[in-house]
Amino acid sequence: MYTTPQSSRSDESTDGPPRKRTARACDSCYRRKIKCDAERPQCNWCKHHNIPCTFERAIRVRRKRKYVTERQSTSLSLAERMDKIEIILTEKLSNTDKPESRPATDIRQHVTPAAQSLAVCFGKLHFAGRNLGDISSYNGIPFFSLEGQKWVRARTGQRVDFDKLCTLGPPWQNQRNLGSDAVLMNLQSSSSLELPDRKTVEEYVDVYNSTIFRLVFPVVNTTLFTETLNTAYGHGHANQYYQSASAKACIYSFLAFCSVLNIRGPAYPAVDSEGFALKAQCLLPQLLREPVSSDGLQTAVMMAIYELASGNTPTAASMSSLTARFIFMLGAHRNPSIGDSISPSDDLRSLATYHLRNLFWLCYSIDKDISLRTGQPPCISDSQCDLTLPAQYVDQFYARFDPESPRNNFPEVPLFPLDLRLSMIKSRAYDALYSVRALQKTDAELLRAIRELDADLERWRVSLPPRIRPTVSFSYEMPIDATMDMGVVMMRLDYHHCLSMIHQATSRCKAWAGPEDGVLDGVGSSLALSVEASRSTIFYLQTAEHVLGDDCFWVVLFYPMSAFLTIFCHVLLHPLHPQAAKDVELLNKAPVFVRGLFRRQISVKELIHLKVITEFVAELGRLAKCAIEKACSERSA
């Protein structure tokens, strides 16, 4: 070690007894910043210079070191930490009707840092001619813009406290991985990245192949995945864990994918989905340095599905963009000429080509869904792809919902999460209504695009069998099919959301800039369709709640949250509308409704986050009620 100049000038002999540590230096030594031996009545320096040796200066009390406080805080019990969190949330989120004493300064100071950090956006949400806010790249649901905040304040007479609404960031986004950085740092050792027992992985593959998930999410092929296992487990030396990173990351992501979707047999214990996902992420840098392979594509696809199912939309969007690059580099965007189906006896090359095409459609469906949700441009351009549907796809898709078809007799053609034809309509809707080019359209061009997309969506709807055909509007009085499954529920939610997004684009029409009674009939009726589609989303979810799976909360949550905000904006626009009181009642029931979507035992983090969500929707109901009361007071006056 290097010696400091002060230690090299020491006059003390190293052979003598060890010196006591000086508690404080005399005034002279302290001013000169030299070491003091604190001898009495004079220290060595003062004695040699024949000056008084005093200790008269004031002593400042040092603060405790930060790490001591942190160490003490980590020793708090779970109950104490929950009490602290509850106090913070109560202070931030409690509903107070007291008038605020803060001066009416720039409204920007009332926007939380969390909201300001999400300013990078890819679209604007308009409602009846007003720019309510940006479509966030994180979730698609808007943070109200300054203009939107002023509008809400003018319609309700209340100041919108964004510190309350967005304490932990977007309430509809899972904050589960805020502490994942430390975990990722600990995964750098070879022992932490050891693969699980191969037999365990093969058991999960068998369970995956025995369920309908292999058709809804065709992420792996049994024959090809065996080659992946051979590659990953072929290296015996534990220190070579970075070799064949694509194959190993594929195994980690497959286990995380199975766990988050609850794909396991009754005899198999649940695996740590987040732990395996973090291991796959840890291998991503090495995966990107290897040649592009189907294992790398499978890893990105399964990680995108995992992040969507976990409520982490930003990471899912990033993984979706990675899958798009892999799709183009592997040529999966082109339709191969390999026949109508593939049997296990076919050669591996044909099998791999067929599997890549299935991965393309899966990536296409996910990409279009994220695009319409978040306002981000899609990563897969339709103009660059062959969109010929798989052979027998439509017939097999309808057979999936046939009640007379045996439930365990699965078709051979993949079905994918949602109808691919609806995904194509989503793609056209974004391009025609929400792209940069679409924002420059005139009212006539915009309305024409809306009519064409509405016609496309209606043709798709009537083409479905009556049993699974969604209605344009839904109410409590409508009968519910007792044999419905999760596929039917998601298809209806997706239809209502697509219908709402198509007709909500009329809010950008310049006709809204004039007096309200001068708005074109077509514009007003189109917006009414969007609001009715939002109501139908809530009504349908309330009646189909028993069908929802245990782990679909973050997937489904987006639909009611988007619908609640649309209904809230409509109440503010028309507070004296005959339906306004019922809409407020619907918003007031929202907290109980959101809690009912969690159909499993939840963790402490999820419990805290659920409280934030319910407080957010409760605030929407309060503000909507204030808007009606204000409008009634003004009318009576």
Side-chain angles (χ1 to χ4, degrees):
M1 295 177 60
Y2 295 103
T3 58
T4 62
Q6 187 175 1
S7 64
S8 63
R9 292 195 305 265
S10 176
D11 296 331
E12 298 290 338
S13 173
T14 57
D15 297 334
R19 293 177 55 185
K20 295 183 179 180
R21 180 170 180 173
T22 304
R24 56 181 296 207
C26 70
D27 297 339
S28 299
C29 294
Y30 180 79
R31 285 193 300 268
R32 291 170 175 77
K33 294 183 173 57
I34 60 177
K35 194 171 186 65
C36 180
D37 57 10
E39 292 292 339
R40 299 299 179 91
Q42 282 184 305
C43 70
N44 186 49
W45 172 268
C46 295
K47 183 178 180 180
H48 280 78
H49 291 79
N50 195 22
I51 59 176
C53 187
T54 60
F55 294 83
E56 298 175 354
R57 71 183 186 280
I59 301 176
R60 293 183 300 175
V61 179
R62 295 183 179 180
R63 295 180 180 178
K64 293 183 178 181
R65 294 187 179 181
K66 183 179 178 181
Y67 75 87
V68 177
T69 304
E70 292 177 347
R71 182 175 58 189
Q72 292 174 350
S73 64
T74 55
S75 63
L76 294 175
S77 65
L78 177 61
E80 292 172 329
R81 287 189 284 119
M82 284 297 299
D83 291 339
K84 287 181 177 292
I85 293 172
E86 182 68 23
I87 293 173
I88 294 173
L89 290 178
T90 301
E91 293 176 352
K92 292 286 187 180
L93 304 176
S94 59
N95 292 326
T96 58
D97 297 329
K98 300 178 181 179
E100 301 193 18
S101 59
R102 289 179 292 184
T105 54
D106 186 5
I107 198 171
R108 289 181 182 273
Q109 67 181 355
H110 303 293
V111 182
T112 62
Q116 293 173 353
S117 65
L118 301 182
V120 179
C121 307
F122 294 82
K124 303 285 183 181
L125 178 71
H126 293 74
F127 196 90
R130 295 167 180 86
N131 177 19
L132 288 189
D134 298 314
I135 299 177
S136 170
S137 60
Y138 276 64
N139 41 65
I141 302 175
F143 280 95
F144 288 99
S145 64
L146 300 181
E147 180 184 346
Q149 292 180 47
K150 293 177 182 177
W151 179 63
V152 172
R153 185 189 305 177
R155 304 298 290 185
T156 63
Q158 303 287 316
R159 183 184 297 276
V160 183
D161 191 352
F162 273 77
D163 289 334
K164 180 190 302 180
L165 297 183
C166 307
T167 304
L168 300 178
W172 41 85
Q173 181 183 321
N174 189 3
Q175 305 293 335
R176 61 173 178 78
N177 61 347
L178 293 179
S180 298
D181 290 343
V183 180
L184 283 172
M185 294 297 293
N186 294 330
L187 288 176
Q188 300 302 319
S189 62
S190 59
S191 59
S192 299
L193 288 174
E194 287 183 354
L195 290 170
D197 183 65
R198 177 168 180 166
K199 183 178 179 182
T200 301
V201 181
E202 291 174 342
E203 289 174 347
Y204 272 87
V205 173
D206 293 339
V207 175
Y208 166 79
N209 284 328
S210 64
T211 64
I212 198 172
F213 283 104
R214 71 177 177 86
L215 299 176
V216 178
F217 299 103
V219 292
V220 296
N221 177 276
T222 305
T223 304
L224 299 176
F225 198 64
T226 302
E227 296 296 322
T228 302
L229 294 175
N230 292 335
T231 302
Y233 289 93
H235 304 284
H237 200 275
N239 292 330
Q240 296 177 340
Y241 63 96
Y242 274 134
Q243 296 184 9
S244 305
S246 299
K248 296 189 177 183
C250 187
I251 293 174
Y252 286 135
S253 58
F254 175 74
L255 293 174
F257 159 82
C258 290
S259 179
V260 77
L261 294 181
N262 203 22
I263 304 175
R264 70 175 191 270
Y268 305 129
V271 298
D272 182 9
S273 60
E274 186 170 358
F276 283 119
L278 290 174
K279 290 182 179 182
Q281 292 177 14
C282 190
L283 290 172
L284 279 179
Q286 183 68 15
L287 181 152
L288 295 175
R289 295 175 63 88
E290 293 182 354
V292 178
S293 64
S294 60
D295 286 338
L297 174 59
Q298 290 173 158
T299 299
V301 173
M302 288 185 285
M303 288 303 299
I305 297 172
Y306 168 82
E307 298 296 349
L308 273 179
S310 302
N312 194 357
T313 310
T315 309
S318 300
M319 288 297 173
S320 179
S321 63
L322 184 60
T323 62
R325 285 296 98 197
F326 285 173
I327 284 289
F328 290 122
M329 296 172 74
L330 293 172
H333 59 294
R334 298 188 296 267
N335 191 33
S337 301
I338 54 176
D340 295 341
S341 62
I342 292 293
S343 63
S345 60
D346 290 325
D347 62 280
L348 290 179
R349 182 181 296 274
S350 300
L351 196 61
T353 303
Y354 178 75
H355 179 56
L356 282 177
R357 186 61 177 175
N358 290 336
L359 289 175
F360 162 77
W361 281 116
L362 183 58
C363 296
Y364 181 89
S365 178
I366 295 173
D367 178 53
K368 304 309 178 182
D369 188 59
I370 292 178
S371 174
L372 201 59
R373 285 190 180 202
T374 64
Q376 293 183 9
C379 300
I380 300 178
S381 173
D382 288 15
S383 61
Q384 303 298 324
C385 303
D386 186 341
L387 298 180
T388 304
L389 290 173
Q392 303 177 355
Y393 168 76
V394 176
D395 294 337
Q396 296 284 4
F397 182 83
Y398 292 159
R400 169 190 178 185
F401 303 104
D402 187 358
E404 299 180 358
S405 177
R407 304 307 298 170
N408 56 355
N409 186 19
F410 300 142
E412 292 301 324
V413 178
L415 304 174
F416 305 104
L418 296 168
D419 194 342
L420 298 180
R421 297 170 296 173
L422 184 58
S423 297
M424 294 181 188
I425 295 176
K426 289 181 184 180
S427 180
R428 294 196 294 272
Y430 180 88
D431 184 66
L433 303 177
Y434 294 100
S435 63
V436 175
R437 182 180 59 183
L439 297 178
Q440 302 170 355
K441 290 184 176 181
T442 63
D443 285 7
E445 293 172 334
L446 188 63
L447 292 174
R448 181 170 63 250
I450 291 172
R451 286 195 299 269
E452 292 173 353
L453 287 166
D454 182 76
D456 292 342
L457 187 63
E458 180 64 13
R459 279 192 293 269
W460 171 82
R461 187 186 71 85
V462 298
S463 70
L464 299 175
R467 175 179 170 270
I468 62 172
R469 182 183 302 160
T471 54
V472 177
S473 179
F474 185 86
S475 63
Y476 292 119
E477 293 77 17
M478 300 185 68
I480 292 292
D481 187 359
T483 61
M484 73 166 62
D485 58 10
M486 191 64 186
V488 176
V489 173
M490 291 303 299
M491 184 168 60
R492 181 181 285 265
L493 292 177
D494 221 40
Y495 165 75
H496 286 311
H497 176 246
C498 195
L499 181 66
S500 177
M501 292 299 294
I502 288 175
H503 286 281
Q504 200 177 82
T506 57
S507 294
R508 293 208 315 270
C509 288
K510 297 179 179 61
W512 288 105
E516 189 171 326
D517 55 0
V519 177
L520 296 176
D521 292 338
V523 174
S525 60
S526 189
L527 186 60
L529 277 174
S530 177
V531 177
E532 183 60 27
S534 299
R535 295 191 189 105
S536 299
T537 296
I538 305 301
F539 294 150
Y540 184 76
L541 265 177
Q542 288 176 335
T543 55
E545 186 178 327
H546 64 284
V547 181
L548 302 180
D550 294 339
D551 298 294
C552 66
F553 174 80
W554 295 109
V555 177
V556 174
L557 179 64
F558 169 83
Y559 296 103
M561 293 300 292
S562 179
F564 284 139
L565 278 171
T566 301
I567 295 171
F568 167 75
C569 293
H570 186 259
V571 173
L572 265 59
L573 179 66
H574 299 294
L576 300 178
H577 192 277
Q579 187 71 21
K582 293 183 179 179
D583 287 341
V584 171
E585 183 181 354
L586 197 62
L587 291 173
N588 290 333
K589 295 179 180 178
V592 178
F593 168 74
V594 172
R595 283 194 293 267
L597 294 180
F598 255 128
R599 302 180 60 83
R600 57 177 171 81
Q601 185 176 2
I602 59 179
S603 64
V604 175
K605 287 184 179 180
E606 290 173 329
L607 181 63
I608 297 172
H609 202 85
L610 184 60
K611 178 178 175 60
V612 177
I613 297 173
T614 54
E615 292 286 352
F616 176 84
V617 293
E619 179 69 2
L620 293 182
R622 186 188 73 85
L623 292 172
K625 182 180 178 181
C626 291
I628 294 180
E629 293 175 350
K630 184 175 183 294
C632 291
S633 299
E634 292 174 349
R635 183 178 61 176
S636 60

mmCIF file of all heavy atoms in Angstrom, residues 88 141 176 188 259 316 322 355 370 374 455 526 535-536 550 556 603:
data_model
loop_
_atom_site.group_PDB
_atom_site.id
_atom_site.type_symbol
_atom_site.label_atom_id
_atom_site.label_comp_id
_atom_site.label_asym_id
_atom_site.label_seq_id
_atom_site.Cartn_x
_atom_site.Cartn_y
_atom_site.Cartn_z
ATOM 1 N N ILE A 88 -47.544 6.402 4.756
ATOM 2 C CA ILE A 88 -47.191 7.196 3.583
ATOM 3 C C ILE A 88 -48.334 7.223 2.578
ATOM 4 O O ILE A 88 -48.713 8.275 2.058
ATOM 5 C CB ILE A 88 -45.906 6.637 2.931
ATOM 6 C CG1 ILE A 88 -44.722 6.825 3.883
ATOM 7 C CG2 ILE A 88 -45.624 7.342 1.608
ATOM 8 C CD1 ILE A 88 -43.455 6.153 3.385
ATOM 9 N N ILE A 141 -52.250 4.471 -21.377
ATOM 10 C CA ILE A 141 -53.275 5.269 -20.721
ATOM 11 C C ILE A 141 -52.675 6.628 -20.416
ATOM 12 O O ILE A 141 -51.558 6.717 -19.929
ATOM 13 C CB ILE A 141 -53.765 4.572 -19.441
ATOM 14 C CG1 ILE A 141 -54.298 3.181 -19.799
ATOM 15 C CG2 ILE A 141 -54.849 5.372 -18.756
ATOM 16 C CD1 ILE A 141 -54.695 2.347 -18.621
ATOM 17 N N ARG A 176 -43.236 -4.482 -9.699
ATOM 18 C CA ARG A 176 -42.654 -5.643 -9.020
ATOM 19 C C ARG A 176 -41.146 -5.699 -9.095
ATOM 20 O O ARG A 176 -40.491 -6.282 -8.253
ATOM 21 C CB ARG A 176 -43.197 -6.924 -9.652
ATOM 22 C CG ARG A 176 -42.828 -7.017 -11.122
ATOM 23 C CD ARG A 176 -43.193 -8.323 -11.767
ATOM 24 N NE ARG A 176 -42.840 -8.282 -13.163
ATOM 25 C CZ ARG A 176 -41.629 -8.439 -13.619
ATOM 26 N NH1 ARG A 176 -40.643 -8.667 -12.794
ATOM 27 N NH2 ARG A 176 -41.356 -8.365 -14.910
ATOM 28 N N GLN A 188 -24.079 -12.787 -11.464
ATOM 29 C CA GLN A 188 -22.914 -12.818 -12.330
ATOM 30 C C GLN A 188 -22.001 -14.005 -12.058
ATOM 31 O O GLN A 188 -21.088 -14.275 -12.827
ATOM 32 C CB GLN A 188 -22.111 -11.516 -12.169
ATOM 33 C CG GLN A 188 -22.921 -10.274 -12.527
ATOM 34 C CD GLN A 188 -23.449 -10.333 -13.944
ATOM 35 O OE1 GLN A 188 -22.756 -10.756 -14.858
ATOM 36 N NE2 GLN A 188 -24.693 -9.921 -14.129
ATOM 37 N N SER A 259 -44.275 -20.735 -15.681
ATOM 38 C CA SER A 259 -44.665 -20.395 -14.317
ATOM 39 C C SER A 259 -45.649 -19.242 -14.282
ATOM 40 O O SER A 259 -46.644 -19.287 -13.554
ATOM 41 C CB SER A 259 -43.420 -20.050 -13.498
ATOM 42 O OG SER A 259 -43.762 -19.692 -12.182
ATOM 43 N N ALA A 316 -41.849 -5.394 -21.974
ATOM 44 C CA ALA A 316 -42.505 -6.202 -23.006
ATOM 45 C C ALA A 316 -42.370 -5.542 -24.369
ATOM 46 O O ALA A 316 -42.132 -6.222 -25.376
ATOM 47 C CB ALA A 316 -43.975 -6.409 -22.658
ATOM 48 N N LEU A 322 -37.202 -6.500 -30.122
ATOM 49 C CA LEU A 322 -36.115 -7.452 -30.372
ATOM 50 C C LEU A 322 -36.606 -8.637 -31.196
ATOM 51 O O LEU A 322 -35.906 -9.107 -32.106
ATOM 52 C CB LEU A 322 -35.546 -7.930 -29.033
ATOM 53 C CG LEU A 322 -34.339 -8.862 -29.094
ATOM 54 C CD1 LEU A 322 -33.170 -8.197 -29.798
ATOM 55 C CD2 LEU A 322 -33.935 -9.300 -27.689
ATOM 56 N N HIS A 355 -41.928 -23.845 -37.829
ATOM 57 C CA HIS A 355 -41.962 -23.289 -36.480
ATOM 58 C C HIS A 355 -41.660 -21.786 -36.492
ATOM 59 O O HIS A 355 -42.288 -21.009 -35.752
ATOM 60 C CB HIS A 355 -40.962 -24.027 -35.591
ATOM 61 C CG HIS A 355 -40.903 -23.520 -34.187
ATOM 62 N ND1 HIS A 355 -42.005 -23.446 -33.363
ATOM 63 C CD2 HIS A 355 -39.856 -23.046 -33.452
ATOM 64 C CE1 HIS A 355 -41.651 -22.955 -32.188
ATOM 65 N NE2 HIS A 355 -40.353 -22.693 -32.212
ATOM 66 N N ILE A 370 -49.483 -4.428 -28.442
ATOM 67 C CA ILE A 370 -48.707 -3.429 -27.702
ATOM 68 C C ILE A 370 -48.793 -2.073 -28.389
ATOM 69 O O ILE A 370 -48.890 -1.031 -27.737
ATOM 70 C CB ILE A 370 -47.246 -3.891 -27.560
ATOM 71 C CG1 ILE A 370 -47.162 -5.117 -26.638
ATOM 72 C CG2 ILE A 370 -46.361 -2.772 -27.029
ATOM 73 C CD1 ILE A 370 -45.762 -5.672 -26.491
ATOM 74 N N THR A 374 -50.175 1.193 -26.366
ATOM 75 C CA THR A 374 -49.229 2.198 -25.898
ATOM 76 C C THR A 374 -49.112 3.404 -26.804
ATOM 77 O O THR A 374 -48.552 4.420 -26.401
ATOM 78 C CB THR A 374 -47.830 1.582 -25.760
ATOM 79 O OG1 THR A 374 -47.362 1.172 -27.055
ATOM 80 C CG2 THR A 374 -47.851 0.383 -24.835
ATOM 81 N N ALA A 455 -66.159 -0.595 -40.805
ATOM 82 C CA ALA A 455 -66.723 -1.618 -41.699
ATOM 83 C C ALA A 455 -65.888 -2.898 -41.652
ATOM 84 O O ALA A 455 -66.441 -4.010 -41.640
ATOM 85 C CB ALA A 455 -66.805 -1.077 -43.123
ATOM 86 N N SER A 526 -70.067 9.046 -33.277
ATOM 87 C CA SER A 526 -68.889 8.175 -33.258
ATOM 88 C C SER A 526 -68.266 8.146 -31.867
ATOM 89 O O SER A 526 -67.883 7.086 -31.366
ATOM 90 C CB SER A 526 -67.864 8.646 -34.293
ATOM 91 O OG SER A 526 -66.818 7.704 -34.430
ATOM 92 N N ARG A 535 -68.305 1.207 -21.670
ATOM 93 C CA ARG A 535 -69.270 0.680 -20.696
ATOM 94 C C ARG A 535 -69.430 -0.832 -20.863
ATOM 95 O O ARG A 535 -69.503 -1.573 -19.875
ATOM 96 C CB ARG A 535 -70.631 1.365 -20.873
ATOM 97 C CG ARG A 535 -70.657 2.856 -20.580
ATOM 98 C CD ARG A 535 -72.090 3.348 -20.518
ATOM 99 N NE ARG A 535 -72.165 4.809 -20.444
ATOM 100 C CZ ARG A 535 -72.504 5.584 -21.455
ATOM 101 N NH1 ARG A 535 -72.817 5.057 -22.633
ATOM 102 N NH2 ARG A 535 -72.553 6.906 -21.304
ATOM 103 N N SER A 536 -69.508 -1.271 -22.103
ATOM 104 C CA SER A 536 -69.680 -2.704 -22.363
ATOM 105 C C SER A 536 -68.505 -3.503 -21.821
ATOM 106 O O SER A 536 -68.673 -4.640 -21.355
ATOM 107 C CB SER A 536 -69.835 -2.945 -23.868
ATOM 108 O OG SER A 536 -70.977 -2.282 -24.382
ATOM 109 N N ASP A 550 -56.168 -17.338 -12.653
ATOM 110 C CA ASP A 550 -55.530 -16.849 -11.440
ATOM 111 C C ASP A 550 -54.441 -15.817 -11.729
ATOM 112 O O ASP A 550 -54.165 -14.959 -10.893
ATOM 113 C CB ASP A 550 -54.912 -18.026 -10.664
ATOM 114 C CG ASP A 550 -55.985 -18.974 -10.136
ATOM 115 O OD1 ASP A 550 -57.135 -18.534 -10.013
ATOM 116 O OD2 ASP A 550 -55.662 -20.140 -9.852
ATOM 117 N N VAL A 556 -55.494 -8.348 -17.995
ATOM 118 C CA VAL A 556 -56.871 -7.867 -18.114
ATOM 119 C C VAL A 556 -57.014 -6.445 -17.601
ATOM 120 O O VAL A 556 -57.872 -5.689 -18.076
ATOM 121 C CB VAL A 556 -57.819 -8.829 -17.360
ATOM 122 C CG1 VAL A 556 -59.246 -8.290 -17.335
ATOM 123 C CG2 VAL A 556 -57.786 -10.207 -18.000
ATOM 124 N N SER A 603 -49.061 -11.068 -3.015
ATOM 125 C CA SER A 603 -47.915 -10.742 -2.181
ATOM 126 C C SER A 603 -48.096 -9.368 -1.544
ATOM 127 O O SER A 603 -49.051 -8.636 -1.838
ATOM 128 C CB SER A 603 -46.641 -10.773 -3.025
ATOM 129 O OG SER A 603 -46.691 -9.774 -4.030
#
